[in-house]
Amino acid sequence: MSVLRVRDLTVSFGRRHLVAVDQVSLDIEPGQRLGLVGASGSGKTVLASTIIGLLPDNAHVDGSVTFDGQELTTLPDREFSAIRGKDLTMVFQEPMTALDPTMRVGRQAAELVALHSESSQGTTRQLVVDVFDRVGLDQASRIVDAYPHELSGGQRQRVIIAMALINRPSLVICDEPTTALDATVQAKVLRLLDEELASVDAACLFISHDLGLVASLCSDVAVIHAGRIVERGRTEQVFHHPSHPYTAGLVATASIDKVRPGERLPVIEDFFDPSTVDSAPPSESTNRPHRRIRRSR
Amino acid sequence: MALLRAATRRVVIFLVTVLVASAVIFGIVQALPGDVALATLGMGASPESVDALRVQWGLDRPLALRYLEWVVGMVHGDFGASYLTGQSVVSQIGPPLAVTAWLVGLSMPLSLLAALPLGLVGAMGRRRWFGVSVNAATHVGLAIPVFFVGAILTIIFAVKLRWVRANGYVPLTTSPGEWAIRLVLPVASIVIVQACFLARYVRAGFIDVLTEDYYRTARAVGWTRWRGLWRHGIRNVATSVVTVIGLQLASLLVGAILVEQTFAMPGLGSLLVQAVRRRDLMVVQGVGMLLVAAVLTVNFLVDLAYLAIDPRLKRGGRS
Amino acid sequence: MSVFGLNDVSVRFGGRRRSVEALRGVDLVIEEHERWGIVGESGSGKTTLLKLLAGLEAPTSGSLTFFDAALDLRRRETMAKLRSSVQMVFQDPRGSLDPRMTIADIVAEPLRSPLLRGRGDVPRDRAARVDEVLEAVGLDRSAKSLYPHEFSGGQRQRIALARALAPRPKILLADEPVSALDVSVRAHVLNLVNDLVDSMGLTLVMVTHDLAVVRHTCDHVGVLRHGQLVEVGATGEVMDHPRQAYTKELINAVARLDV
Amino acid sequence: MKKLTVIIGLVCSGLVVVAALVSLVWTPFDPRKVDGPARFAPPGWPHVLGTDAFGIDTASRLLVGAQTTLLVGVVAVALAAVIGVPLGVFVGMGHRIAGEVVARASDILFALPALLLAILLAAALGASVTTAAVAIGIATIPVFQRMARAATLTVMSQDYILAAQVSGIPGGVIAIRHVLPNITPVLGVQAAASFSMAILAEAGLSYLGLSAPQSTPTWGRMLHDANLYAAPIQAVIPGVAIAVAVLGFNLLGDGVRDYLDPRMKELR
């Protein structure tokens, strides 16, 4: 049975019902890693927020999201909260702001364990130190007593990954988890994520605009454009033999190192003719590929 | 070490600020054009009698000297004597200070107590009817002058219902029951307005938290809406409320001055207004200095408290 | 003639007690018509280096020359020369355009600089020059009366480029010009930068964390780490035969598409 | 919701402005004419809102009172903005020592609430509307100074300022061309809020009898003169008027801010 099953999911915002996610369906099997690639504004972050149930109040959701057989879109907050952070967790993009600045990081992690179990305070601390140690935080027993501002970006992201894995979830959603980090740190954090996901045997929805990252971490990939999934398949299949022109364009633009220095770089429009060509005069005030739909209320 | 240096710096700044504030107050009251002696005796007075009065009050001596005397006196607890009655200012300030202190001292915690839930509900429900109505109510409360609230409460509870007497003040030591009865309406008036004032800060603080990434983390980690907001929001809100406590004290004092008038209470406000009407400058100056110094001191203490609380200041963080 | 010459340049920020050394003993010579890529991670001092070249920051020690003359931020003549021949594009196209000005005003602003008056070849007709550069960056003339928020990120970066090119600069400084952009838009902007640098014979100094961009666009590369220039050389040489372990690490950290 | 806020704000503040304008050319009765036999008349005809303890027509006093209310608001806010904004921009654009001095001066003024400063000035100069307006204006300077400084700092951290500096645009031109236009919306919001505060402070002052003389009708004075036992309605009318004015300008400012806040824009 799939860990996550999304069917005909449509998410729109505000009174004008601007569509961000359009009739998306996808499945993730236990232990599977699915990469979700797309440009900014393609709806990938909205999709992630919908799955974990953290959309803003003005969002309208249609369709179904089931997690371990349980329907999430209609689940009351109290019951949803029992799943969040335990079986379904998330790693966010911005390590600098994702932790409470007024609370020691060890306490934030311990709180999360206590929230979902009956374990006592004493054993929790040891558990947190162990997990911090495993995600490669040197001197874990000191770092648990640090405030977020005392840690570097890479260290904070390790803390966040530790928090996402500490309860041994069955699905981890990673939303551009390394985008805000330096290249060398990014490589290390990615390797860590790879190992740790394997060790707790968690499935992963890995959201990124960077095809290289997805290629190195995910077995499968889905390409999202303007809120719709345009292509999905095994990673090497999709990246080496893209069937959709948008994917082909994405792959070509991402491979700068394949172009001789100084020569013209391929652009998406060489492959695919989207409605929003970059040099055309602006049509709407937003660069988000929103589209109006009928009111569903 | 860095902490000690920072604290010393703040103490020095505080002392200088108080000194400058005293100069400003003295300057406003004494140095501005307008002859007190003349004003006291009236336009028809002979120049000789005016001069005599000036000499009697010491107004013929240089301003700087008078200022110095005043400041040195205050350091020794002597605020000078009234020009009109010759009575020492300190002895005049004593009893009213107790009245105003009770008013402010009771209103401050009570308004905070009322503001917290109002702000929390207003933030959480900012897109629903309950939050919107709380928000609207605080908006209206903020617009009503405190003396008008006092007037309405008087009309309802003293004139129509006749539950309490809305006049004067009885010291706690004389009769605790009467003391309480006389204080209920004035304190309630101030609390209603102040709670609305504070609730807006509390609400803004919680709304800030709602848009923070770390609140999203808290939610993703399994906190429910309300508990997550309380757990990870209260500290943020506490800091923003502490920040305005100096400001709040200023507006509480203003509220007290006005409410004392409404309920005919012999507090500092009444003393001040009466002194202004009689142009009793030494009293005006003394009371003004006392009020400003109180606000400055609270601001200074808040500043010091920050130094002790904020982890970022304590350890000299990296970012 | 070298455009910029840095000799043992250091930049320190902050007071005596807590000073941060952003650049330490940097030696660098940039010749005319070269294209430099300065690579480094956050906190490496790469933005400080760029601000130094732009005359927005002064060296704490060491010497900085511009066209073989010492650059002194307080001397009006040297600064006038620098200001009239150096232009800059920034990382975030949102913050680099004044939201309350029309595109025409934004692009024309460098032409209104008082320091430009001494130069001979200043475009006289501002409106015509604005049309010219907008066309050069591939934007329609109808854009002139619009405001920045009406454009996408890639388009805004084009506008920023148009503004930089308006006063006919000799040197273009670029601070992470494509890292805030989507991959698909990145190619457009890089192609444009390449074309413009070619056709106008500019000297380019680009600061970036992305080695792939440097390899594609620049003929020289400098690697900054903790304020020190650890490796300098021709791009192909450095990329293929890095001498420093750190440079190797940087090159290896780039995630490739080859699965 | 946002629209409703702005509409209520416009209606309330509009009412005050209209009342003031009307009173310039017409009032039902002479707002200063004492009419003993008619004292404490309940609302009705011909005294629509009744009369006070001297038999003066309340409706007329209410209309004329709007003039003082607006006058004090305008003078105080204009004074505070004219001094505070340039100061804040200057400090925000650089000079550290000047910044420190201005910040300390602001702290001292901040500890002096408008009402208290007005009382002190009234003691020295005698009570008048001008004294009240000037005192409230001076007490409001630090608010504008701080707001302008904070907004200037935000603008100065933007790259378009660097772009201008790279082109050699002088600081004064940057202040006028880039800084001022970008901080104006924030200052507009502050002006509305300060306007309300000024109205409240003036009402308090005239309530204490330290603003306008008895002959000039003001809302605070009307409340002061009202006898809560004999004719409570005469206290309620000016009280409501003050609340409407304050609420109106507050809501106006809030509505404008919500339109300008990018976070709000995204969520709308």
Side-chain angles (χ1 to χ4, degrees):
Chain A
M1 190 186 73
S2 306
V3 182
L4 183 78
R5 205 177 140 90
V6 177
R7 283 293 171 273
D8 295 324
L9 187 70
T10 298
V11 184
S12 58
F13 288 96
R15 275 189 220 145
R16 295 197 297 159
H17 283 247
L18 296 165
V19 175
V21 169
D22 195 0
Q23 304 234 315
V24 164
S25 299
L26 54 83
D27 296 81
I28 299 179
E29 306 303 323
Q32 188 188 25
R33 295 185 199 163
L34 175 68
L36 184 65
V37 295
S40 58
S42 60
K44 46 192 202 306
T45 295
V46 174
L47 181 57
S49 306
T50 314
I51 293 169
I52 201 158
L54 295 180
L55 284 171
D57 292 349
N58 61 346
H60 314 278
V61 180
D62 259 342
S64 129
V65 177
T66 50
F67 175 75
D68 278 341
Q70 191 168 21
E71 177 62 45
L72 294 184
T73 52
T74 53
L75 200 63
D77 188 41
R78 183 169 293 275
E79 288 160 53
F80 207 148
S81 294
I83 299 173
R84 255 187 241 131
K86 186 164 190 290
D87 302 316
L88 174 59
T89 63
M90 188 151 177
V91 177
F92 296 103
Q93 177 177 357
E94 270 302 330
M96 302 318 265
T97 51
L99 293 167
D100 188 338
T102 62
M103 207 184 263
R104 295 174 201 276
V105 292
R107 180 137 169 249
Q108 297 188 47
E111 209 178 72
L112 156 64
V113 177
L115 199 60
H116 296 287
S117 71
E118 312 291 310
S119 63
S120 73
Q121 209 64 35
T123 56
T124 314
R125 183 182 162 95
Q126 196 47 48
L127 177 64
V128 171
V129 173
D130 288 346
V131 175
F132 276 21
D133 203 37
R134 279 201 24 210
V135 296
L137 286 163
D138 297 333
Q139 297 180 288
S141 53
R142 258 194 47 218
I143 287 194
V144 289
D145 289 325
Y147 286 98
H149 73 271
E150 297 172 311
L151 305 179
S152 70
Q155 286 176 315
R156 290 188 218 191
Q157 197 63 312
R158 283 170 197 270
V159 168
I160 291 166
I161 290 173
M163 286 171 65
L165 295 168
I166 200 165
N167 283 330
R168 308 180 79 82
S170 47
L171 175 63
V172 181
I173 300 175
C174 300
D175 187 3
E176 307 261 13
T178 60
T179 307
L181 303 175
D182 276 329
T184 50
V185 182
Q186 171 170 333
K188 287 175 196 148
V189 169
L190 206 66
R191 214 172 307 134
L192 166 79
L193 198 58
D194 188 17
E195 290 162 13
E196 290 303 307
L197 282 172
S199 81
V200 299
D201 201 21
C204 176
L205 178 64
F206 187 88
I207 295 172
S208 183
H209 68 279
D210 190 331
L211 305 194
L213 293 185
V214 171
S216 66
L217 192 77
C218 302
S219 54
D220 294 75
V221 67
V223 181
I224 186 166
H225 173 63
R228 284 170 178 258
I229 300 228
V230 295
E231 183 163 3
R232 159 163 204 183
R234 303 288 298 169
T235 307
E236 39 320 337
Q237 177 70 24
V238 171
F239 286 169
H240 286 302
H241 309 285
S243 63
H244 194 280
Y246 179 75
T247 317
L250 216 52
V251 170
T253 52
S255 323
I256 294 194
D257 50 337
K258 297 221 174 78
V259 182
R260 288 237 330 268
E263 277 183 11
R264 181 181 171 277
L265 295 169
V267 296
I268 287 231
E269 290 75 20
D270 298 344
F271 301 85
F272 176 70
D273 180 30
S275 47
T276 50
V277 179
D278 190 46
S279 57
S283 50
E284 248 191 285
S285 66
T286 159
N287 55 359
R288 283 187 174 178
H290 282 318
R291 199 164 57 76
R292 267 179 214 229
I293 58 160
R294 274 175 290 118
R295 284 186 173 233
S296 60
R297 264 196 299 190
Chain B
M1 198 50 217
L3 191 68
L4 192 68
R5 196 179 298 126
T8 318
R9 199 182 107 89
R10 278 170 170 75
V11 171
V12 171
I13 288 179
F14 167 68
L15 292 176
V16 172
T17 310
V18 172
L19 196 65
V20 175
S22 73
V24 169
I25 290 174
F26 183 84
I28 291 173
V29 177
Q30 302 259 359
L32 284 178
D35 193 317
V36 198
L38 183 65
T40 310
L41 293 176
M43 292 308 268
S46 70
E48 292 78 32
S49 56
V50 171
D51 281 345
L53 198 60
R54 290 169 59 93
V55 172
Q56 186 194 334
W57 288 348
L59 292 176
D60 54 333
R61 291 176 309 140
L63 263 181
L65 192 67
R66 277 151 56 201
Y67 171 66
L68 216 62
E69 273 177 11
W70 183 56
V71 172
V72 172
M74 279 196 298
V75 173
H76 293 101
D78 175 14
F79 281 58
S82 159
Y83 290 149
L84 301 180
T85 60
Q87 215 185 337
S88 96
V89 174
V90 173
S91 70
Q92 288 185 66
I93 286 179
L97 183 61
V99 179
T100 306
W102 275 121
L103 264 182
V104 172
L106 287 172
S107 304
M108 193 178 252
L110 286 176
S111 50
L112 191 61
L113 217 58
L116 267 180
L118 284 176
L120 181 64
V121 169
M124 195 44 121
R126 68 198 195 286
R127 277 181 233 293
R128 318 245 186 88
W129 64 267
F130 58 91
V132 170
S133 32
V134 165
N135 191 27
T138 58
H139 243 311
V140 172
L142 210 58
I144 303 177
V146 65
F147 49 88
F148 183 44
V149 176
I152 292 175
L153 292 183
T154 305
I155 292 170
I156 296 175
F157 294 104
V159 180
K160 301 285 181 212
L161 298 175
R162 291 174 185 283
W163 285 357
V164 287
R165 237 158 313 152
N167 247 326
Y169 174 79
V170 177
L172 178 64
T173 44
T174 311
S175 159
E178 274 298 299
W179 170 82
I181 285 178
R182 311 277 177 141
L183 269 177
V184 169
L185 291 189
V187 168
S189 315
I190 299 182
V191 166
I192 287 174
V193 173
Q194 281 297 314
C196 292
F197 173 82
L198 279 180
R200 301 197 64 77
Y201 280 95
V202 174
R203 175 175 179 269
F206 277 123
I207 286 182
D208 270 354
V209 175
L210 284 173
T211 58
E212 288 286 353
D213 283 352
Y214 65 78
Y215 174 70
R216 190 182 55 181
T217 308
R219 292 277 289 141
V221 135
W223 289 102
T224 55
R225 281 172 210 277
W226 289 89
R227 288 187 59 199
L229 185 58
W230 183 258
R231 185 102 179 96
H232 289 275
I234 187 65
R235 242 173 301 206
N236 185 40
V237 169
T239 11
S240 71
V241 168
V242 166
T243 315
V244 298
I245 266 188
L247 190 64
Q248 197 216 353
L249 181 70
S251 79
L252 272 172
L253 288 173
V254 165
I257 292 174
L258 292 165
V259 158
E260 282 167 15
Q261 201 71 15
T262 312
F263 294 98
M265 300 177 83
L268 281 183
S270 299
L271 178 66
L272 185 62
V273 171
Q274 192 191 11
V276 169
R277 291 215 183 103
R278 291 179 3 198
R279 305 203 107 181
D280 193 344
L281 296 191
M282 284 313 274
V283 175
V284 172
Q285 204 169 289
V287 176
M289 189 62 219
L290 192 68
L291 297 179
V292 171
V295 175
L296 284 175
T297 306
V298 167
N299 277 334
F300 165 67
L301 292 178
V302 166
D303 227 25
L304 277 191
Y306 262 130
L307 217 54
I309 293 169
D310 196 326
R312 274 163 291 198
L313 290 176
K314 204 159 37 184
R315 292 204 196 168
R318 212 172 290 176
S319 54
Chain C
M1 198 158 55
S2 66
V3 179
F4 290 109
L6 283 76
N7 186 8
D8 197 21
V9 165
S10 297
V11 176
R12 222 172 285 120
F13 291 121
R16 276 158 296 149
R17 274 192 218 102
R18 263 195 215 163
S19 72
V20 180
E21 206 153 44
L23 287 178
R24 283 190 281 182
V26 171
D27 293 305
L28 184 65
V29 177
I30 294 176
E31 303 288 341
E32 231 172 326
H33 307 304
E34 282 181 343
R35 302 168 172 207
W36 276 84
I38 306 292
V39 188
E41 307 199 316
S42 55
S44 63
K46 53 188 200 292
T47 302
T48 307
L49 180 59
L50 210 60
K51 283 189 167 174
L52 206 64
L53 302 184
L56 296 170
E57 209 75 73
T60 318
S61 66
S63 74
L64 171 61
T65 60
F66 179 62
F67 283 109
D68 298 333
L71 189 67
D72 185 347
L73 259 60
R74 285 157 303 183
R75 278 187 57 208
R76 198 176 156 80
E77 309 91 81
T78 52
M79 286 313 286
K81 186 148 196 275
L82 182 83
R83 295 271 181 257
S84 61
S85 46
V86 174
Q87 279 291 327
M88 194 161 169
V89 280
F90 301 89
Q91 172 173 7
D92 185 2
R94 265 167 223 281
S96 67
L97 308 177
D98 189 332
R100 308 216 156 246
M101 281 166 82
T102 62
I103 303 309
D105 285 341
I106 288 172
V107 175
E109 177 166 42
L111 298 171
R112 297 165 72 181
S113 166
L115 293 180
L116 224 56
R117 285 184 202 126
R119 224 179 67 190
D121 59 335
V122 185
R124 282 284 161 77
D125 187 347
R126 281 187 207 142
R129 182 61 185 158
V130 169
D131 286 348
E132 224 171 276
V133 287
L134 280 180
E135 198 186 315
V137 300
L139 279 171
D140 197 88
R141 276 186 193 184
S142 62
K144 281 198 296 182
S145 57
L146 301 177
Y147 288 87
H149 72 265
E150 298 173 270
F151 294 87
S152 70
Q155 288 172 318
R156 279 187 244 190
Q157 208 57 310
R158 283 168 195 269
I159 296 165
L161 269 170
R163 170 178 59 192
L165 298 172
R168 298 212 172 91
K170 294 199 182 76
I171 300 109
L172 183 65
L173 306 177
D175 186 1
E176 302 263 14
V178 292
S179 52
L181 303 176
D182 261 325
V183 186
S184 52
V185 184
R186 182 177 74 174
H188 278 291
V189 174
L190 279 181
N191 283 337
L192 182 62
V193 169
N194 276 339
D195 292 349
L196 293 171
V197 169
D198 270 347
S199 63
M200 304 194 173
L202 299 174
T203 306
L204 175 73
V205 183
M206 177 159 71
V207 149
T208 179
H209 69 276
D210 192 338
L211 274 171
V213 170
V214 170
R215 171 190 229 129
H216 183 78
T217 309
C218 303
D219 45 32
H220 287 77
V221 63
V223 181
L224 265 180
R225 188 187 195 197
H226 301 326
Q228 282 176 309
L229 211 47
V230 294
E231 186 153 3
V232 182
T235 308
E237 184 68 20
V238 172
M239 298 288 277
D240 295 338
H241 310 286
R243 276 168 296 163
Q244 298 286 330
Y246 179 68
T247 315
K248 273 180 212 156
E249 198 185 342
L250 271 183
I251 294 171
N252 290 335
V254 177
R256 269 170 246 283
L257 254 189
D258 317 313
V259 189
Chain D
M1 200 50 228
K2 302 279 169 276
K3 268 189 202 149
L4 191 68
T5 310
V6 178
I7 289 172
I8 297 177
L10 274 174
V11 168
C12 290
S13 47
L15 269 176
V16 181
V17 174
V18 168
L21 289 178
V22 166
S23 73
L24 286 174
V25 291
W26 175 82
T27 51
F29 290 85
D30 182 346
R32 286 171 191 87
K33 196 180 143 238
V34 175
D35 181 6
R39 64 200 296 262
F40 292 138
W45 196 257
H47 297 288
V48 185
L49 297 177
T51 60
D52 67 6
F54 303 99
I56 304 177
D57 180 56
T58 301
S60 306
R61 294 190 81 190
L62 198 69
L63 289 177
V64 178
Q67 289 178 21
T68 317
T69 300
L70 289 179
L71 183 74
V72 170
V74 169
V75 171
V77 168
L79 183 71
V82 164
I83 297 176
V85 172
L87 215 54
V89 171
F90 177 71
V91 169
M93 282 184 74
H95 213 280
R96 272 185 59 194
I97 296 169
E100 192 67 14
V101 171
V102 169
R104 292 293 143 249
S106 260
D107 278 351
I108 295 174
L109 259 187
F110 228 62
L112 256 175
L115 193 87
L116 190 55
L117 184 65
I119 290 177
L120 293 179
L121 273 179
L125 300 174
S128 77
V129 177
T130 323
T131 313
V134 169
I136 295 167
I138 291 175
T140 314
I141 291 173
V143 179
F144 274 88
Q145 188 273 124
R146 287 178 184 196
M147 195 59 106
R149 178 177 166 272
T152 303
L153 284 178
T154 315
V155 172
M156 289 304 285
S157 70
Q158 302 288 316
D159 282 343
Y160 57 80
I161 299 295
L162 279 186
Q165 287 170 341
V166 166
S167 293
I169 309 290
V173 178
I174 289 179
I176 290 166
R177 194 183 289 162
H178 295 292
V179 177
L180 275 181
N182 278 292
I183 66 172
T184 305
V186 186
L187 295 178
V189 173
Q190 187 53 54
S194 293
F195 203 94
S196 306
M197 296 307 287
I199 292 175
L200 263 183
E202 194 280 331
L205 264 184
S206 25
Y207 179 73
L208 295 176
L210 296 177
S211 173
Q214 174 79 53
S215 56
T216 311
T218 64
W219 294 344
R221 187 83 196 205
M222 289 166 75
L223 230 162
H224 174 80
D225 292 344
N227 186 325
L228 298 184
Y229 296 86
I233 187 72
Q234 295 306 326
V236 173
I237 291 168
V240 169
I242 297 168
V244 163
V246 174
L247 185 69
F249 288 102
N250 263 340
L251 289 180
L252 213 54
D254 266 28
V256 175
R257 183 186 49 218
D258 288 350
Y259 265 102
L260 296 173
D261 191 341
R263 273 194 309 207
M264 294 291 178
K265 215 172 267 178
E266 242 161 65
L267 294 169
R268 205 181 311 146

